Structure formats: structure tokens, C-alpha cells
Amino acid sequence: MEPEEYRQRGKEMVDYICQYLSNVRERRVTPDVQPGYMRAQLPDSAPMDPDSWDNIFGDIEKIIMPGVVHWQSPHMHAYFPALTSWPSLLGDMLADAINCLGFTWASSPACTELEMNVMDWLAKMLGLPDKFLHHHPDSVGGGVLQSTVSESTLVALLAARKNKILEMKVSEPDTDESSLNSRLIAYASDQAHSSVEKAGLISLVKIKFLPVDENFSLRGDTLKKAIAEDRKKGLVPVFVCATLGTTGVCAFDNLSELGPVCDAEGLWLHIDAAYAGTAFVCPEFRLFLDGIEYADSFTFNPSKWMMVHFDCTGFWVKDKYKLHQTFSVNPVYLRHANSGAAIDFMHWQIPLSRRFRSLKLWFVLRSFGVKKLQAHVRQGTETAKFFESLVKSDPLFEIPAKRHLGLVVFRLKGPNWLTEKLLKELSSSGRLFLIPATIHDKFIIRFTVTSQFTTREDILQDWSIIQHTAAQIIRQNYGLHYINSGDGAGVPTTIVQPTSDAISNVPQLYLDGGKYKTPSRKTAVQPKKLSVSPSTCVVSQQVKGQEDPLDDCFPEDVQDVTKHKLTSFLFSYLSVQGKKKTARSLSCTSVPVTGNLEQCNPKAAATDKKESRANVRVLSRLPEDMMIFKKGAFKKLIKFYSVPSFPECSIQCGLQLPCCPLQAIV
């Protein structure tokens, strides 16, 4: 390819990239391929003669794109963000053209010096201490760009190990270093990333994963106790990895407690803020940095949330000489006239060669500025809050851990297999991408707002898919069927979603002729008696051998909801056994398994037959227009009409299902 053709083809590629990223939301997020799908589409060997660029370019859509997971898609909610941006792409375009190997200052002075300056910029943007700056009179530390946080954690552990072994050699000069290494032990929370465990495997340092508190945070007392126990065993504590923004639930270890313990015990404190680090550009999120002054090293990924594409990881140390004593090799061919006076980043990392990563970071920081990066973080956080509000408004679901930043974790109430099946169905659709985690033996689904292109409409679309898939799973496995009552007023069977504008304005809505309207506000007065026609709702016990009961679906933190208009049918109560007394459920006074009321409770059936002649069959005559309650309203409505002392009551319908499957239409 000659320069003129490169110019032409380069423009074509830029156009293709612009089209791809601008329309990525239209693509299936995950590919519908199997391992080895590409083998049959490629020849066994490389071509002997040159292929035309037109053929090569055409194979992008034919061979490559069918197997791509579209990480920039607004419907990509797995893992953590891996964002790019136009300035970042341009930065790497130039860096790839220069293609320098900046292992020493002399190998490319601009590569080293730009990196030193942008790392100082970043440290100041995040509110890190001055000890992490290259250009500060009181600092002997600084920052460097590594490939990944995994590598940074390994570098920190290796440096801590080397420093501790040198200390031990003072009192045990004749002991072999491998023997000293075998006594070392490091700590992290049981929520820490798997890269911490891998770092232990590579360094041959034992890693102890410590339990967390109810907020999934590692606390100082837990660490202090573990250190004392290990010292009694003859072990030598050396290193603590504190996580700010865990992979599972984005929890934060307590630096203000861990820091003083590490300082008193002489342990290296390393901070892994891979995802959450970007959020610290916003001052309101820096409360999680309380205790950062105790840190020996800090790392995060601009390649996650800061729109600087992979690879780009910031890593700071307070004492660069501890890196030098760990990684320094100085063959004659790497020496230069300014060795020792200038920074040579080859002494700060495991590999020798390094890319010109700072160019794309420099382009992004200058193109966006701090204010726009702050706005980007806040927008992602607010979008996650919006999704959280949707989950909380649906009584089928629960959020088992507090939301932090852009990550929401949720699950279907009940046994783990329900949530596992939900995730499996969602993944097979390819329309959105989610991954699981486990907390307290509960199987959960992680939902991360990853893309800067994500809108509320995207979130509503994804939530609609999740809701409908969940409803189908519950219906299939718990056998709750809604049928026509015979009078022409069938119960609706679809979940209606409001627009994002409607949700943001927070009024109650109902559907009228395909349009959302605001109903007149009326006070719903609790009736004295209300009967339900057994022809309206038929429940069949089809739990398919699953033993785990569904969780209690009714929260206790409810308030008076008499302002909410009762236009949607209530849940059909499935019974709970009790010995003290019986009570009648408003929503389902008697629902026989066989469809015969007398078989369920003959006495109650006779009474209800009389009542049904005098009262209107409520459920069968509900309008087709479905009320869309604002956040939490349906839960509160259920509580308002529920039976007092629910655990002590035995509903007269006599069903023995584990709990209400909440086959509701909201």
C-alpha cells in the first residue's frame, strides 16, 4: 500500500468507524456464534500473494463483526465500562504511526515527559496526595501508565515483597530469600478482584482473603485481628490490597481504618480503584478516599470510565526507589548520558518496552476538560439511579446490595435458580449483555451503565426486556394464569412501560388509546368486603420440584397510599400456613387449585357465593387501561390492603405454594 492509497483507505476506515460507533446500538450486543465459527471462513495458511484491500475490508462485516461483542453499545451492561472516544482514537492513531518504544528517557524523551506530566494532571484531578506527584519538592514518588490494573497490583506486590525481604535480611542475613518469601502473607477482602489472587500465585506470596461487613467493606478490626493471628503462626504480614469499587457490587473498603493499621504494622497499602477511580474527578465522590494519605500505591483504569480506550492504567507510588530496587536491570546497551538524572520507566514495570499511551490520554484530557469529564461521570451515575428506580418499582425483584456509582445489582425474589434462568434467557437473546455475581449465597445479576451513549430510552428498552422475560419465567414455573372471566372484560397480560419523559416527570399514568394520560386523583377508600370471582384467576401448582421458597414479597417500609387510584388488579395471594387464626385476603378470598371453590373451603365458599351476588366481581370488570404506578406505589398498595399480622394468618383459600409468585401486571 502506497501513501496515496493509505490516505484514501484511511478516510474509508474513519468513515466506517464513525458509522459503526454512531449506530452500534442497532447491533446485537453479543454474537450468535459457537467456538471455532471462524475456522471454516479462513484458509489454512496465509496467502502467498497480496490480497486486495477491497477483499480485506469486505471481510470485516463478513467474518469479524459476526463474532464481536459490542462493548460500546448502550445495551452492554456486563463487567465494567471499556470506553473509547474520538480524541482517544486519534491519539492512538498518531502513537501507532510514531510507534516508539519508550523504555528509557533517551529512547523517546517526549514519550517519557508527556507521561510524567499527564500523570501529575490525573493525580491532581482525582485529589491524590502530593507524594504521588513527579513534580513536587517533597515527593519521591510519581505515576506511570501500565497496561492493566492486574499488572499494577502485581508490580505493587512484588515491590512490597522485595522491600520486606530486604528488611528481614537485616536481622537474618544468612537466611535464603526463598525461605523468607515463604513466610510472607498478604491480605485482601473476599470481594477483591481475582487479579489479587493471581498476583499471589505469581509472586509466591500467600494471600488471605478476609470477610467483609454488611456493606461488603473490609474493616480495620478484621485486618488487625488477622495480622495478630498470623504473627503468632510465625508469618510475616507484608501487603494489603484495599479495593475501592469491588467487582461484585462496587463496594468500598474502609481506608480510614485500614490505613492506620497498615502504618502501625509496617504493611504496604495498595489501593485498587480500577473502575471507581474515574469517579474521583467529582469532589462529591471523594469521601471514599478518606485515608488515602496512608497508601503506598494507587491504581485505576482511565480505560474503563474515562473514555481513554484500552490499554491505559494509571499507577502511582509514593516511593519510586522501591520500584527501582525491585525491577532495575542496567545492561550497557540501555544506559544513556542522562541515566539516573532522568526517569527511565523501564525500572517501574515488568516488561522493557512500552507504548506511547500518554498521547491518547493527553488528547482526552485536553478535548473534554475536567468539567465535561465530571459531567460524564455524573450522567452515568444518574442513569444507574434511574434503572435502580425501575427495579425497585417492580415487586418481583430485589436489590440485595446498595448501589454505588454506575452499578446496580438485582435478582428475582426467591430461589437462585429463578435468577439464573432469567440471566440465561437474557443472554441467549443477545439484545443486552449482563453477567452474574454471588453475595451471601445469593445469585445476582450485575447491571452496569457502561456506554456514554446510553439514554433513558435505552434503559427503558432494556428494563422492558428484563421484565417480560422475568414474567414469562415466573408464569412457566409457578403456573399463574390469567384468563377471561366470561363477561368480555379479560385481565390484561402485558406490561406497559411509560416513556422516559413521563417517568422523569413522575406523574401516575394510564394507557388510553395508545397514549399515556394522567388520571384524576381520587382517594381510594378501603372497602369493608370485596369478593373475587374464581373464574378470573386460576392458579396451578407447577413448581417443578424446586424446593427453595420465594422470598417475602412485601416490604415493611411502607406509607399510606390512599392517594393511589386502584385501577389495576391486585396480586392473587398464595397462602401461608398459621395456627393462631384465619383471615381473609382482599385480593383472593378463595382460589381453589382445581377451580372448584367448595373443594378449597366449603364453608367459606358458601359465604362468598352470597357475597358475590351482592357485590361486583371486581377483577373481571377492571378496565383494560393499566395504571402505571410511580416508584414503589404497587408495593405500598399491596401493604395497605394486606391482612394484619400476615405471618400468623392462614388464608382461607388453603393453597400451599411457598409464597406469592407476584404474577402482577404493573
Side-chain angles (χ1 to χ4, degrees), residues 107-122:
S107 67
S108 188
C111 181
T112 297
E113 299 214 3
L114 182 61
E115 188 162 331
M116 293 171 63
N117 281 278
V118 295
M119 293 306 292
D120 280 3
W121 283 10
L122 263 185

Side-chain angles (χ1 to χ4, degrees), residues 252-268:
F252 292 79
D253 291 339
N254 195 315
L255 291 186
S256 62
E257 294 181 1
L258 299 176
V261 174
C262 291
D263 186 54
E265 298 285 350
L267 275 66
W268 181 296

Side-chain angles (χ1 to χ4, degrees), residues 10-127:
K11 290 178 180 178
E12 292 174 358
M13 183 60 74
V14 168
D15 288 342
Y16 177 82
I17 291 170
C18 288
Q19 187 274 337
Y20 166 72
L21 290 177
S22 298
N23 298 286
V24 69
R25 65 166 34 88
E26 308 302 328
R27 293 179 182 260
R28 177 187 170 113
V29 183
T30 55
D32 185 18
V33 296
Q34 296 299 319
Y37 86 96
M38 193 181 290
R39 186 71 181 90
Q41 302 182 63
L42 296 176
D44 291 337
S45 305
M48 295 299 294
D49 297 314
D51 203 346
S52 71
W53 178 257
D54 288 333
N55 289 339
I56 297 171
F57 191 79
D59 283 344
I60 295 174
E61 284 293 334
K62 180 181 177 182
I63 299 176
I64 303 302
M65 285 300 176
V68 168
V69 173
H70 299 288
W71 283 70
Q72 307 309 305
S73 171
H75 307 296
M76 168 71 180
H77 303 295
Y79 312 110
F80 279 128
L83 300 183
T84 188
S85 62
W86 309 120
S88 181
L89 293 173
L90 292 173
D92 243 7
M93 185 184 295
L94 177 58
D96 289 344
I98 296 173
N99 199 34
C100 65
L101 304 179
F103 40 79
T104 64
W105 180 88
S107 67
S108 188
C111 181
T112 297
E113 299 214 3
L114 182 61
E115 188 162 331
M116 293 171 63
N117 281 278
V118 295
M119 293 306 292
D120 280 3
W121 283 10
L122 263 185
K124 293 175 182 178
M125 287 169 58
L126 302 183

Side-chain angles (χ1 to χ4, degrees), residues 561-580:
V561 290
T562 57
K563 294 183 180 179
H564 296 292
K565 184 179 178 181
L566 182 60
T567 61
S568 168
F569 70 87
L570 296 181
F571 291 125
S572 297
Y573 264 46
L574 302 184
S575 70
V576 267
Q577 286 186 320
K579 296 183 179 180
K580 294 187 179 181

